[in-house]
Amino acid sequence: MSENKPFKLTYSTMFTPPQELHDQFDAAIVKAKEDFGKEYPMFINGEERFSEAKHEAFSPVNRDWHLGTFQKGTLKDVDDAIAAARAALLAWRLTNWEERVYMLRKFADLVTERIFEISVATCLEVGKNRMESLGEVAEAADLVRFACDQLEKNHGFVNNLSSDPLVGFSSNNQNVLKPYGVWAVISPFNFPAALTFGPAGAALIAGNTVVAKPATDTSLTVTLMTECMRDAGIPAGVFNLVTGSGSVVGKALTDPAKVDGITFTGSKAVGMGIFRQFANGVYVKPTILELGGKNPTIVSRNADLEDAALGIARSAFGLSGQKCSACSRAYVERPVYDQLLERLVALTEKLSVGDPSEQNSYMGTVINQKAYDDYQAFVKELASAGKIAVGGKVLTDGDLSKGYYVTPTVAVDVPLGHRLWKEEMFLPIVLIAPVDSLEEGMRLANDTEYGLTAGFFGTDDECEWFFDHTEAGVVYANRPLGSTTGAWPGYQPFGGWKGSGSSGKNGGGLYYVQLYMHEQNRTFVHRL
Ligand code: NAP
Ligand code: MG
């Protein structure tokens, strides 16, 4: 049945792309290399903005590749961007919602048109493989389209309610959702397109204006996406981009006296700091936090072990383990533990690590020197607490020495009380342990501060039991395409419980765009 469907790229279909996709990606790499070393501006009030101080960005794939020169924004740049967003707010929020939807759809279509150019940038600055990079840019466009669809399905969130039962008066009641105002969006390095423009798109469609700040390591993707905002005709000041450090630009953008709401996606430590800072305002403002994960997979003695091993390997090592949804621990029922481990080790050994822009590389690099150093420190710690079953090495042969290449790693025999069963490493390292029962696996799986994603392999009844007991926002059963990763807007709305997220509602889902709006009930009385 699916044979006749046209190919649609998602994180589940990306394993079997048509060759044409590869050819176009190859052509875009050649072009991108011609642009190495260019300077890129910020974007404030519809204009390019340059600053005194610059950040030189080099690719984690090869440190000789100078991706470009970016602006180190200042406090004044942040203030100007917020002022521009505030000045543009009234006209934007009074624009018909249908017109906002029209413009944001145009933005999404431009992103789709430029998908190869943008995803090559993502590939070279994040170090993620080409299919993951293409997938992310497609996801970013779909996140915006999904929010547009939601506004349409809900008729702009304008609802007429029943009239009061008054005599001598007509009393008409209407319920509307309205934007908050100026929204700050701060995004992480691992999904620069999707996690800047998913939130920003929802905020804009809802009628807010936006100031965005990307991670320092990944300003290129966000700059190219910002060009799509400009070219889609989004009015000046409605979407602004300030590049620069978290400690200067990020901190200034999360001043509760200056903005009306924030969406931060990143680490729990930084996110909790922002939450506390934002709470110092004179009243409470919406704070959407999408934070880390420590995502478990539980494998039953009745599971299809081939599917389980494949699902774990893909989720643990895709994007070099640098997904908030990456599988970083697996609990396996004891009777099948040895067999599962053997399959997982065999699959891990076969994964190709190399230049992520090349067609056959499954795993590219880690993001920067700090991640590279962290990887080596974690491996050392795990090797002394337990044993490294496979991986644990950095790769430095030939050109690999110019990038941050590490091997996918499975650690075994690590005592269950060890800190690394609970702390996010954000690297291609998975811990695996036998458990005596599914109940024990579930207890361990839930025993963390996080609750982002979780996976399970077993019988249908066991899967239902898993859904009922797991504490996470996105959960998968029997999914070889990724045991804990690979959510897609509209199919798998994405968000976390507990320390993984603040809103309790998932991005790309039915209740997301509403987070960017507050409710107003309007009663209009006429004397009869
Ligand atoms: P990060 O270090 O927390 O940084 C995220 C963003 O915050 C960056 O733009 C960073 O700027 C900025 N920032 C840093 N300090 C700040 C401050 N004091 N005030 C305001 N902004 C500040 O996270 P990351 O390393 O980029 O990303 C990895 C983390 O993100 C992991 O924990 C991962 O689980 C999480 N994540 C969560 C989700 C989700 O949906 N739940 C999705 C993806 C990633 P600089 O780059 O300039 O420091
Ligand atoms: Mg960081």
Side-chain angles (χ1 to χ4, degrees):
M1 28 159 217
S2 65
E3 273 67 21
N4 295 325
K5 284 189 193 159
F7 179 75
K8 172 167 168 65
L9 179 62
T10 73
Y11 294 127
S12 304
T13 64
M14 69 180 180
F15 303 105
T16 51
Q19 182 58 35
E20 188 204 333
L21 228 57
H22 286 302
D23 298 341
Q24 283 183 266
F25 194 88
D26 285 331
I29 293 171
V30 175
K31 240 181 127 263
K33 288 189 174 169
E34 290 165 9
D35 284 342
F36 277 175
K38 263 176 69 171
E39 178 160 2
Y40 297 90
M42 301 184 282
F43 189 68
I44 297 175
N45 203 23
E47 289 170 0
E48 298 189 347
R49 168 74 66 98
F50 295 84
S51 58
E52 292 274 308
K54 312 286 179 189
H55 168 72
E56 303 301 338
F58 293 91
S59 174
V61 176
N62 183 323
R63 305 297 294 158
D64 291 344
W65 295 350
H66 183 207
L67 296 177
T69 300
F70 293 88
Q71 314 304 315
K72 270 194 190 163
T74 61
L75 295 182
K76 173 156 186 345
D77 295 322
V78 174
D79 282 345
D80 288 353
I82 292 172
R86 196 150 304 282
L89 179 61
L90 183 65
W92 182 247
R93 75 175 173 82
L94 293 181
T95 300
N96 281 339
W97 65 265
E98 289 95 337
E99 228 174 293
R100 289 200 302 266
V101 163
Y102 176 82
M103 279 189 258
L104 268 300
R105 284 229 170 91
K106 193 157 170 206
F107 161 77
D109 290 345
L110 281 174
V111 170
T112 302
E113 238 173 70
R114 300 178 192 176
I115 188 168
F116 292 99
E117 178 197 2
I118 301 169
S119 57
V120 165
T122 308
C123 171
L124 297 181
E125 73 178 347
V126 180
K128 69 168 91 175
N129 79 25
R130 58 167 65 188
M131 291 316 299
E132 295 264 9
S133 298
L134 282 163
E136 187 199 335
V137 178
E139 180 195 5
D142 272 9
L143 280 168
V144 172
R145 291 190 184 108
F146 191 82
C148 289
D149 293 348
Q150 287 307 306
L151 220 67
E152 266 174 355
K153 276 197 183 135
N154 291 283
H155 313 290
F157 296 103
V158 176
N159 283 296
N160 292 321
L161 305 181
S162 306
S163 300
D164 297 74
L166 287 177
V167 177
F169 297 90
S170 77
S171 177
N172 297 316
N173 298 314
Q174 191 180 54
N175 189 273
V176 296
L177 293 185
K178 288 284 150 191
Y180 281 93
V182 175
W183 207 277
V185 174
I186 299 180
S187 53
F189 77 84
N190 61 341
F191 286 88
L195 297 179
T196 310
F197 292 89
L204 292 172
I205 289 159
N208 303 277
T209 55
V210 167
V211 180
K213 184 207 108 58
T216 299
D217 285 321
T218 52
S219 301
L220 179 56
T221 303
V222 177
T223 300
L224 298 179
M225 297 278 290
T226 299
E227 290 176 3
C228 298
M229 279 280 170
R230 179 197 63 198
D231 298 345
I234 306 291
V238 168
F239 178 85
N240 305 275
L241 172 69
V242 183
T243 50
S245 73
S247 53
V248 176
V249 173
K251 196 158 182 4
L253 248 189
T254 49
D255 180 345
K258 293 182 176 167
V259 296
D260 303 306
I262 50 178
T263 302
F264 167 84
T265 311
S267 60
K268 179 164 170 284
V270 173
M272 289 304 292
I274 288 176
F275 184 73
R276 294 189 175 103
Q277 173 181 324
F278 213 55
N280 286 327
V282 291
Y283 56 87
V284 177
K285 296 183 175 183
T287 320
I288 303 176
L289 304 171
E290 309 289 350
L291 308 176
K294 188 70 189 172
N295 312 295
T297 301
I298 303 172
V299 182
S300 145
R301 66 190 73 203
N302 303 310
D304 180 321
L305 298 183
E306 194 59 37
D307 281 355
L310 194 57
I312 292 169
R314 281 178 166 154
S315 285
F317 306 131
L319 180 41
S320 303
Q322 301 168 119
K323 292 183 190 175
C324 46
S325 55
C327 174
S328 61
R329 46 200 182 112
Y331 303 107
V332 184
E333 278 204 290
R334 205 173 291 279
V336 295
Y337 174 78
D338 287 337
Q339 212 185 331
L340 191 274
L341 177 61
E342 192 184 314
R343 283 308 299 144
L344 180 60
V345 167
L347 287 171
T348 305
E349 276 168 346
K350 277 200 292 189
L351 293 178
S352 52
V353 181
D355 179 341
S357 66
E358 282 170 13
Q359 181 172 339
N360 293 325
S361 298
Y362 179 79
M363 209 173 94
T365 59
V366 298
I367 186 67
N368 54 27
Q369 185 70 47
K370 180 178 181 301
Y372 194 63
D373 295 343
D374 284 352
Y375 171 86
Q376 293 170 77
F378 286 135
V379 164
K380 210 166 148 198
E381 185 175 344
L382 290 168
S384 93
K387 216 172 85 192
I388 302 298
V390 60
K393 296 190 175 57
V394 297
L395 296 175
T396 54
D397 279 357
D399 268 359
L400 296 184
S401 67
K402 295 184 177 174
Y404 301 120
Y405 292 93
V406 305
T407 47
T409 301
V410 179
V412 296
D413 300 342
V414 179
L416 288 170
H418 193 277
R419 73 179 186 106
L420 292 181
W421 280 105
K422 294 199 179 183
E423 291 173 27
E424 186 181 48
M425 291 180 275
F426 220 56
L427 288 161
I429 302 174
V430 63
L431 279 61
I432 178 166
V435 289
D436 290 325
S437 64
L438 292 181
E439 285 73 15
E440 187 193 6
M442 184 62 74
R443 186 178 54 74
L444 293 165
N446 285 338
D447 185 21
T448 65
E449 295 173 347
Y450 293 110
L452 195 46
T453 70
F456 184 86
F457 292 87
T459 64
D460 287 359
D461 284 350
E462 289 170 340
C463 290
E464 292 296 343
W465 173 86
F466 160 72
F467 287 141
D468 286 340
H469 292 86
T470 183
E471 294 169 2
V474 192
V475 299
Y476 303 95
N478 290 340
R479 190 159 176 272
L481 307 149
S483 64
T484 63
T485 52
W488 199 266
Y491 305 146
Q492 290 94 12
F494 191 80
W497 291 11
K498 303 195 287 191
S500 295
S502 68
S503 73
K505 301 290 180 289
N506 294 5
L510 299 176
Y511 318 104
Y512 186 69
V513 74
Q514 295 93 318
L515 297 176
Y516 295 84
M517 307 166 103
H518 42 193
E519 191 167 341
Q520 182 175 67
N521 205 78
R522 301 173 163 185
T523 294
F524 200 162
V525 176
H526 291 98
R527 205 177 269 282
L528 293 176

